[in-house]
Amino acid sequence: MSQDSLDDRNGATDPSTLGEARGEALRFEEPMKLKGRRRFLQTLQRISSSPSLTRMASSSSAYGNTYGNPSQSSVGFSTAPTSVVTTPVPESQTFDLRSRVRIFSHNDPTQAVTTPLTAPLPAEVRTGPKDAQPLNISEATSNNADDFSKLMLEVVPERKARSIDFWGEMPDEIKVHIFRFLKPWEVVRCSAVSRSWHKMCFDGQLWTNIDTHEYYRDIPSASLVRIMTTAGPFVRDLNLRGCAQLWERGTTHGQAISDACQNLEYFSLEGCRIDRGSIHSFLLENTRLVHINFCGVQAITNHELKTIAHRCPQLESLNVSWCTHIDTKGLHKIVQSCSKLREIKASETRGWTEKDFMLDLFQRNTLERLVVAHSDIDDDSVQILFHGTEPEIDPLTDKAIVPPRKFRHLNFSRCNQLTDKGIKCLGHNVPQLEGLQLSHIINLTDDAFAHLFEQTPLLTHLDMEEIDEVTNVTLQNLAHSPCARILQHLNISYCENLGDTGMLPIIKHCESMRTIDMDNTRVSDLVLTEAAAQIRERDHHQQTLLPSTGPLDCNGDTPKIPVKVALHLTVYDCQNVTWTGIREIMSRNTEPNRSLIVGLKCFYGYQDTVNEHVKRLRAGRVESARRLERKWAEYMIATEEAGVGGAGARRRRRRAREAAMVHADEEEGGPRGGRRRARSGGCVVM
C-alpha cells in the first residue's frame, strides 16, 4: 500500500497537497480525535470562543494578536480547519463578532462545510456595543445558500438583575405607619440617615400626639421645637410636662410653638417654668381645648383663667392644683362660661368658702370629679354644694329633697375644717360616687360614715388614712354595705384604733379587694391567714369557671397557668404581725396549681425574702419558691432558739443576776462595807 493511500486513510493533510489543490474547496470530513499539539491548540481555540472572554475583549482582533493568527479571530475563533483562498465566505459581516451563535451542519455527513461553526447572535437579543449594525439572518442565508445549507440557531440571552428601591417606591402612608412603631427619640435619630428620612421623620402625621414627659431629657430643645413647629397643624395632644429647657432661651420658643400649634385639644404644662406671655399666646390661638393641665405652674393667675373662660367654651377638664396665685374668682368665670365642665382639680387653693361660687356649682350640677385637697373648704360650703340654700326638707326622713349629684370622685384630704356635719351631707345625694378620699381629717368620727356607705353602692376606692377617731365599727358597717362586693382599694394606715375585729369582716366579704394599706394598725397574723384563705378560695372558684384543659402548646403539653398578684397587703410597722403570719402567706402561695397569690409589704428585714419568693412564683419556679420558704422558716426558728439558749445567752444571764442583786440590795438596805454578801442557792442536800 502506497504512502498516499495511508495518508488518505488516516485523514491526514499534507501541506504540499494543499498547494496542489489550490483553487478547489477542501472536502470537510468527520473530525477525528486529535492528540498532542493539535489537541492543545483546539482546546485554546474553544476557550477563546467562550462568552466571558468575548465580553472582556476590547476589539474583535484582540485574541488574534494573542495567539498570533489574526485570520482565525476574524471569523469568530472557529474550531474547524482553515479554508483556502478560493473558499467562498461572506463578503461583509456587519454584526458583532463577540455574540455567540452555534451553526450545525446538514444532515448529510458527506457534504463539506467550509464555513465557521459559529454564527453571530440575532440583533434583537444581542448585547454588544451601541455602534454594531444589525444583521438580517434571512438575507445572509439566502445570499450564501451554497455555503449554508441549513441554519439552526440556539440563542442564550443574558439576564440582568433588576434593582428595586423598596423604600423609594413605598407609599408615604406605609412609611408613616412603620415609623410609628419607633420611640420618639428613635425617630429623631433616624432623621440623620438621609434627606428623605429627615423629611419623613418630621412629617406632621407622625406627631399627632406629643407626650414629652418620658423622653424630654433625651432630645435636645432644638429638635423638640422643630418637631412641634413642623407638625403643628397635626398636633392634637401636647404634653410638655417638665420640659424646662424649652424656656431657657427666652420667649422665642413659646411664641413659635404657639403660632404653629393651633389645633390643640389636650394641653399640659405641668411643672414648666413658662412665662405668662407664652401661656397667653397658647390660649388665644387654641379655641378648641378640651383638657388643660397647669398643675404647679406659678405663672398662672386669675387673668389666664378669665382668658380660658372667654376662648375655650368646650373645656371639660381643668387642673390648676398648687397654683398659688389663683382663687375661686377665676374659677367662677370658667364655671359660668364652660357649660361642659366635668372635672376641676384645684388642690391648695383658696376661696372655697364663697357661697355664690358654691351655689353656682350646685345649680349647674355638671361636675363629676372635684379635687380640693388641702383647701379652706368647710361644712357650710359642702352643705351648699350638695343641698343648696334653704332646701325643702322631708318631714319623715328629715333630709333635703334635692336632685342627686353627678359626682364620681371626691377628694377632701387634709381639709381640716371639715367635720362630721359636712360629710353627712354626702349621704343620699351621691349615688354614683366611686372614689372618696378623706385622709388626714382629724375631726372625723364614726358618725360621719354611719349612713354614707349605705347610699354609695358603686364605691370602689376609700381612703381613710390617719383618722384617729375611727374605730372598728366603721369597718364592720363597710363590710355589710352594698358596696362591699365591688370595693377594690382601702387605705386605713395610721388608724391606731383599728384591728382584727374590723378587718376580718372586710377580708371575708369584700370579694373584689385588690389593695389594703393597714400599716401602723393593730392587725395581727389572723388577718394575713384569712387573706391567704380567701385568695385561695377565689382562685379555686375562678378555675372552676374556666375550661378544665386549655389549648396545648407546641410540645403537646398543657401550658403553665400565669401567676399574678390578686391582693396586695401593706402591714409594715404593725406590732402584732410576726414572721409566722408572713410564712403562712408564703406557704399558701406555693400550693400547686395556683394562679392568684397574695403580695406583701412587711417588715424591712423580711421584705427581700418575700420579694424573691413572689419573683420565683411569677417565673413558674414553684419548687424553688417552696425551698426558699422552707429554708427561711428554718432560719427563723433557729434564730429564735438561739435567742433563748444560744448566742447571747451568757450575757442575758449575767444581766439577770445583776438585776437580782440590785433588787436584793434595795430590800436589805444596800451593801455593807462596800462589799456585797455572798448569795448562793445553798446546799441542795441541806
Side-chain angles (χ1 to χ4, degrees):
M1 184 179 295
S2 64
Q3 184 68 24
D4 295 338
S5 61
L6 289 175
D7 293 339
D8 294 341
R9 182 178 298 177
N10 295 332
T13 307
D14 194 343
S16 61
T17 310
L18 278 174
E20 296 175 357
R22 184 180 303 273
E24 296 180 5
L26 298 176
R27 293 186 61 84
F28 183 73
E29 298 180 357
E30 289 292 333
M32 296 183 62
K33 184 176 181 180
L34 303 179
K35 297 182 180 179
R37 182 172 177 272
R38 293 183 179 181
R39 182 179 180 181
F40 176 71
L41 292 177
Q42 185 181 19
T43 304
L44 291 180
Q45 290 178 354
R46 290 179 178 177
I47 293 175
S48 64
S49 300
S50 63
S52 59
L53 294 179
T54 304
R55 285 193 298 269
M56 293 174 59
S58 59
S59 63
S60 60
S61 62
Y63 292 99
N65 296 332
T66 302
Y67 297 110
N69 192 359
S71 61
Q72 293 180 1
S73 62
S74 62
V75 294
F77 303 103
S78 174
T79 58
T82 56
S83 60
V84 295
V85 179
T86 58
T87 302
V89 295
E91 297 180 357
S92 63
Q93 295 181 353
T94 59
F95 52 87
D96 189 6
L97 295 178
R98 288 180 293 176
S99 302
R100 184 177 180 183
V101 179
R102 300 179 183 177
I103 302 179
F104 297 92
S105 61
H106 194 264
N107 296 331
D108 187 4
T110 60
Q111 184 180 358
V113 179
T114 59
T115 57
L117 296 181
T118 57
L121 193 69
E124 59 270 11
V125 294
R126 184 171 65 248
T127 58
K130 297 181 179 180
D131 55 350
Q133 297 181 4
L135 171 67
N136 194 339
I137 300 298
S138 60
E139 295 179 359
T141 55
S142 60
N143 295 333
N144 302 281
D146 298 334
D147 302 303
F148 303 97
S149 59
K150 185 177 181 180
L151 284 175
M152 297 178 63
L153 301 180
E154 181 182 355
V155 179
V156 183
E158 296 183 0
R159 296 182 180 179
K160 292 185 177 180
R162 180 187 176 188
S163 59
I164 302 176
D165 187 6
F166 290 98
W167 185 259
E169 297 179 1
M170 188 180 300
D172 294 340
E173 292 78 5
I174 300 180
K175 296 179 183 178
V176 173
H177 182 70
I178 293 174
F179 276 113
R180 284 176 179 171
F181 289 95
L182 301 179
K183 300 295 183 182
W185 58 87
E186 296 174 345
V187 175
V188 174
R189 291 179 181 177
C190 291
S191 63
V193 174
S194 63
R195 291 184 179 180
S196 60
W197 280 49
H198 185 275
K199 181 180 179 181
M200 185 59 60
C201 289
F202 289 99
D203 192 342
Q205 299 179 12
L206 194 62
W207 301 97
T208 57
N209 184 1
I210 301 179
D211 189 357
T212 62
H213 79 280
E214 295 182 355
Y215 55 85
Y216 69 91
R217 294 185 180 90
D218 303 329
I219 298 179
S221 59
S223 298
L224 284 176
V225 175
R226 174 69 184 278
I227 290 172
M228 287 181 282
T229 54
T230 304
F234 297 92
V235 179
R236 296 293 183 270
D237 187 352
L238 180 60
N239 185 3
L240 302 178
R241 177 182 177 183
C243 294
Q245 70 269 27
L246 291 179
W247 328 110
E248 292 177 354
R249 301 181 181 179
T251 61
T252 56
H253 289 342
Q255 187 66 33
I257 296 172
S258 61
D259 293 341
C261 303
Q262 299 183 4
N263 297 319
L264 296 179
E265 296 180 359
Y266 298 87
F267 184 44
S268 176
L269 290 176
E270 182 177 354
C272 293
R273 296 192 298 267
I274 188 174
D275 59 285
R276 295 181 58 185
S278 299
I279 296 176
H280 194 69
S281 300
F282 272 109
L283 297 178
L284 291 178
E285 298 294 339
N286 296 272
T287 60
R288 294 185 293 179
L289 285 173
V290 178
H291 177 87
I292 297 177
N293 184 6
F294 290 155
C295 180
V297 181
Q298 300 301 323
I300 297 295
T301 61
N302 289 332
H303 180 69
E304 279 70 32
L305 296 185
K306 292 180 181 178
T307 305
I308 294 174
H310 292 296
R311 302 290 298 178
C312 306
Q314 301 180 4
L315 185 65
E316 297 181 4
S317 175
L318 177 65
N319 187 356
V320 289
S321 298
W322 317 106
C323 296
T324 57
H325 300 291
I326 66 171
D327 53 20
T328 55
K329 293 181 180 179
L331 294 174
H332 197 185
K333 296 291 184 181
I334 294 178
V335 172
Q336 292 176 347
S337 302
C338 303
S339 59
K340 299 181 180 179
L341 188 64
R342 297 183 295 104
E343 179 180 357
I344 294 179
K345 295 182 180 180
S347 299
E348 201 173 350
T349 55
R350 297 294 177 264
W352 290 93
T353 56
E354 294 185 4
K355 296 182 179 180
D356 295 339
F357 175 61
M358 305 304 291
L359 183 60
D360 200 355
L361 290 178
F362 170 77
Q363 293 175 352
R364 292 185 177 274
N365 194 18
T366 59
L367 289 182
E368 297 181 1
R369 181 183 294 266
L370 180 62
V371 180
V372 290
H374 209 284
S375 63
D376 58 350
I377 192 171
D378 54 6
D379 295 337
D380 296 335
S381 301
V382 173
Q383 186 174 3
I384 296 175
L385 178 62
F386 290 96
H387 293 169
T389 57
E390 299 180 357
E392 182 181 357
I393 304 300
D394 189 356
L396 299 178
T397 59
D398 197 18
K399 298 176 182 178
I401 304 176
V402 294
R405 304 293 94 186
K406 297 182 180 179
F407 288 107
R408 294 182 179 272
H409 184 83
L410 292 173
N411 188 351
F412 294 137
S413 299
R414 299 182 181 272
C415 297
N416 294 324
Q417 298 184 19
L418 290 177
T419 61
D420 296 345
K421 178 182 176 181
I423 302 302
K424 287 181 180 180
C425 297
L426 276 64
H428 304 280
N429 288 318
V430 284
Q432 301 179 5
L433 188 64
E434 298 178 1
L436 180 61
Q437 294 178 264
L438 301 174
S439 61
H440 299 88
I441 303 179
I442 58 177
N443 298 323
L444 297 183
T445 62
D446 294 336
D447 295 338
F449 306 97
H451 304 285
L452 178 62
F453 300 140
E454 297 179 358
Q455 307 299 327
T456 54
L458 302 179
L459 188 65
T460 59
H461 294 68
L462 180 61
D463 187 0
M464 299 188 301
E465 181 180 358
E466 203 170 345
I467 302 180
D468 299 333
E469 302 298 329
V470 174
T471 63
N472 292 321
V473 177
T474 300
L475 295 182
Q476 293 175 358
N477 294 335
L478 178 62
H480 296 87
S481 63
C483 64
R485 299 179 63 87
I486 64 173
L487 187 64
Q488 299 179 2
H489 303 276
L490 177 63
N491 187 358
I492 57 172
S493 299
Y494 292 91
C495 296
E496 299 179 355
N497 295 328
L498 302 181
D500 296 344
T501 307
M503 282 306 304
L504 288 177
I506 293 292
I507 297 296
K508 292 180 180 180
H509 295 88
C510 297
E511 302 175 355
S512 303
M513 188 67 70
R514 296 181 181 178
T515 304
I516 301 179
D517 296 334
M518 45 187 175
D519 54 285
N520 290 275
T521 58
R522 296 184 179 182
V523 296
S524 64
D525 297 336
L526 294 176
V527 175
L528 302 184
T529 304
E530 184 63 28
Q534 292 296 327
I535 295 301
R536 179 186 180 186
E537 293 181 2
R538 189 189 304 180
D539 187 15
H540 178 70
H541 178 68
Q542 180 177 345
Q543 292 184 9
T544 55
L545 298 178
L546 297 177
S548 57
T549 57
L552 302 180
D553 57 6
C554 58
N555 297 326
D557 300 331
T558 303
K560 296 182 179 180
I561 302 175
V563 178
K564 65 179 181 179
V565 178
L567 177 62
H568 191 276
L569 302 178
T570 304
V571 292
Y572 63 88
D573 292 342
C574 295
Q575 298 180 358
N576 298 327
V577 175
T578 62
W579 70 271
T580 56
I582 307 298
R583 184 194 177 186
E584 182 67 21
I585 294 287
M586 298 171 62
S587 178
R588 291 295 182 91
N589 288 344
T590 54
E591 293 179 352
N593 299 327
R594 290 294 299 272
S595 61
L596 302 179
I597 60 176
V598 180
L600 202 60
K601 185 177 182 181
C602 54
F603 177 60
Y604 72 94
Y606 310 151
Q607 190 62 48
D608 293 339
T609 304
V610 173
N611 292 341
E612 180 64 24
H613 188 265
V614 174
K615 180 180 178 181
R616 295 183 182 183
L617 287 176
R618 302 191 70 172
R621 301 159 55 191
V622 181
E623 293 297 333
S624 178
R626 292 175 182 172
R627 183 168 57 254
L628 175 63
E629 180 264 330
R630 185 175 61 256
K631 294 293 183 181
W632 182 73
E634 293 175 357
Y635 167 77
M636 295 302 299
I637 293 174
T639 303
E640 288 190 353
E641 292 178 352
V644 175
R650 294 182 59 185
R651 186 184 306 110
R652 284 190 292 273
R653 287 196 297 267
R654 184 180 69 251
R655 290 177 180 177
R657 288 196 303 267
E658 292 176 356
M661 293 172 62
V662 172
H663 179 67
D665 291 341
E666 291 177 356
E667 289 182 352
E668 297 178 0
R672 288 171 289 182
R675 295 181 63 184
R676 292 186 177 88
R677 181 173 57 87
R679 299 178 179 86
S680 61
C683 182
V684 177
V685 178
M686 300 302 293

